[in-house]
Amino acid sequence: MGRLEGKVAVVTGAAMGNGWGISKVFGREGAHVAMLDVAEKVFEAAGEFEGQGYSVSGHKADVTDLDGVRKVVDEVAAKHGTIHILVNNAGIARLVPFLEMTDEVRDLHFNVNIKGAWNCTKAVLPYMVEKNYGKIVNISSVTGALVADVGETAYAITKAALWGFTKALAMEVVGNNINVNAICPGMIDTPMVRSGVEAIMPDDPQAIIDALASGIPMKRLGTPEDIGELAAFLASDAAGYITGQPFIIDGGSTLPESNLGG
Ligand SMILES: NC(=O)c1ccc[n+]([C@@H]2O[C@H](COP(=O)([O-])OP(=O)(O)OC[C@H]3O[C@@H](n4cnc5c(N)ncnc54)[C@H](O)[C@@H]3O)[C@@H](O)[C@H]2O)c1
């Protein structure tokens, strides 16, 4: 029996990357997965998983639009009885040096990465409170709270903000049998990272991927399925006594104390 058998999950940003990997592992573990994304590609991804025998549905919605999110969430809850699991994964990253960053680009980060998680939680939490059961997993990052690179000021604020949101919300709902935790990935091989790398070196993006991998103690980037495995654990009852915690999953990239290697 799968770890998430009988559970109904909403995963945002599910068309590709980490959300795709989380949806895949959740489907394999027996959950019904409502895959939500602003991109049409979500239907293709849902079709792919259905073809593998998983119980999934694709839904087009923008996490910055609370009414649109509520419509999808209410439809899913009406069809499946409730929602047990929410993964706030949808996110964007545009790397721009601070003095060159427009307010529009800053606000795009705040709207998608912070308000998106806020909106989806607003829409889903009442169902969890009603049933006295829930697991919320926020996809934060090592960026912001632990490390940062040039151009990441807006992105870093939003990812660090999700640590705070995770802790404060965990305290509010601890009496409702709802666990709230955060996953903080290092460098994961997703379209977000690939497009960033292609912008730096369009002719040979793989050279940058290889250079990034060589700086990680495990000598590889993470995969979306790596994130899915941790999310499935945190969304399962095996993690019932864990709440308000950030979990770093980075192949050891934040580990070295020196540059002497390992
Ligand atoms: N890839 C990494 O190395 C890495 C590291 C740390 C954290 N993260 C986090 O993981 C999450 C997913 O990142 P990824 O690398 O898979 O990115 P990605 O760009 O590969 O995929 C993101 C998905 O989110 C969707 N999305 C974007 N804006 C949306 C919106 N307004 N409404 C609904 N869906 C929207 C996109 O359409 C896309 O399908 C993000 O929160 C990101 O910050 C990624």
Side-chain angles (χ1 to χ4, degrees), residues 12-19 36-39 61-64 88-92 112-113 139-142 155 159 184-193:
T12 70
M16 62 188 92
N18 291 333
L36 186 153
D37 205 290
V38 72
D62 183 335
V63 294
T64 65
N88 283 313
N89 167 77
I92 57 126
V112 177
N113 299 2
I139 306 301
S140 173
S141 180
V142 294
Y155 181 71
K159 293 285 120 178
C184 308
M187 199 67 73
I188 312 300
D189 194 348
T190 67
M192 178 191 276
V193 166

Side-chain angles (χ1 to χ4, degrees), residues 15-261:
M16 62 188 92
N18 291 333
W20 176 92
I22 294 164
S23 301
K24 181 179 175 182
V25 177
F26 279 20
R28 192 197 69 206
E29 293 294 337
H32 172 77
V33 191
M35 299 170 65
L36 186 153
D37 205 290
V38 72
E40 288 284 339
K41 202 175 182 303
V42 72
F43 299 113
E44 194 185 306
E48 176 195 347
F49 292 149
E50 267 185 321
Q52 293 168 16
Y54 301 158
S55 174
V56 302
S57 48
H59 306 268
K60 194 171 172 195
D62 183 335
V63 294
T64 65
D65 168 19
L66 178 57
D67 291 342
V69 168
R70 274 216 166 101
K71 191 164 168 288
V72 168
V73 164
D74 291 348
E75 276 168 19
V76 172
K79 186 159 180 205
H80 298 277
T82 190
I83 292 165
H84 303 99
I85 300 164
L86 168 65
V87 183
N88 283 313
N89 167 77
I92 57 126
R94 308 268 187 280
L95 305 193
V96 186
F98 179 72
L99 286 177
E100 292 161 31
M101 192 178 302
T102 62
D103 290 355
E104 285 72 24
V105 173
R106 178 201 62 198
D107 289 346
L108 184 63
H109 285 86
F110 292 2
N111 286 332
V112 177
N113 299 2
I114 300 178
K115 289 189 196 165
W118 183 280
N119 287 341
C120 295
T121 306
K122 278 262 178 187
V124 171
L125 193 60
Y127 292 105
M128 295 180 168
V129 169
E130 188 194 1
K131 298 282 186 197
N132 201 44
Y133 183 94
K135 309 280 180 198
I136 298 176
V137 180
N138 296 317
I139 306 301
S140 173
S141 180
V142 294
T143 305
L146 296 178
V147 295
D149 274 332
V150 171
E152 289 187 332
T153 47
Y155 181 71
I157 290 171
T158 64
K159 293 285 120 178
L162 290 181
W163 284 47
F165 179 56
T166 298
K167 287 184 183 291
L169 186 67
M171 277 304 290
E172 279 200 26
V173 297
V174 72
N176 302 96
N177 192 32
I178 299 169
N179 307 67
V180 188
N181 289 294
I183 291 179
C184 308
M187 199 67 73
I188 312 300
D189 194 348
T190 67
M192 178 191 276
V193 166
R194 288 269 165 186
S195 62
V197 159
E198 274 159 22
I200 300 168
M201 197 183 276
D203 296 340
D204 191 7
Q206 191 57 41
I208 306 240
I209 295 282
D210 293 345
L212 289 170
S214 73
I216 298 170
M218 288 192 188
K219 303 298 175 204
R220 70 169 178 90
L221 275 67
T223 66
E225 288 90 341
D226 288 329
I227 304 303
E229 293 293 344
L230 178 54
F233 168 66
L234 292 173
S236 77
D237 291 329
Y241 198 53
I242 303 173
T243 200
Q245 301 308 313
F247 287 84
I248 294 157
I249 172 166
D250 68 351
S253 69
T254 54
L255 194 58
E257 191 172 354
S258 74
N259 62 359
L260 295 178

